Amino acid sequence: PFNPSTAIGYGVFRRSRVSLKIYNILGEAVAQLFAGVREPGEHEAVWNASGQPSGVYVAELLTEPFDGPEPAVRLIRKLLYIR
């Protein structure tokens, strides 16, 4: 649970295209926290949910490595925004 902002940490092992989005419970995208290229390492994005209603949200992280045999990765995490 968080109010009104939360930090979302993630790591990438290879230089990758990364997309981090937030969706409401209806599946509608409400925020794009990052879209671009990330170098290997730990990263963090902050989502400020002010202006959004309380409730359950979903964070979706997509990574696509530029090189190497690793496939694309999609991670989903549930977030609870409480006012």
Side-chain angles (χ1 to χ4, degrees):
F2 69 96
N3 178 8
S5 65
T6 186
I8 301 169
Y10 60 95
V12 293
F13 297 106
R14 293 189 180 272
R15 188 169 189 257
S16 303
R17 282 184 213 92
V18 174
S19 171
L20 180 56
K21 291 183 181 180
I22 306 294
Y23 295 89
N24 64 19
I25 199 68
L26 300 176
E28 301 166 330
V30 296
Q32 172 96 39
L33 301 184
F34 185 81
V37 176
R38 285 287 196 205
E39 297 299 325
E42 297 295 317
H43 305 279
E44 184 176 89
V46 176
W47 179 43
N48 187 333
S50 296
Q52 296 292 332
S54 297
V56 176
Y57 291 86
V58 175
E60 176 191 54
L61 175 70
L62 295 171
T63 65
E64 297 179 54
F66 281 108
D67 56 358
E70 293 87 5
V73 174
R74 179 178 183 223
L75 297 173
I76 305 290
R77 293 291 181 261
K78 184 171 47 172
L79 305 170
L80 180 59
Y81 175 38
I82 300 174
R83 284 189 188 206

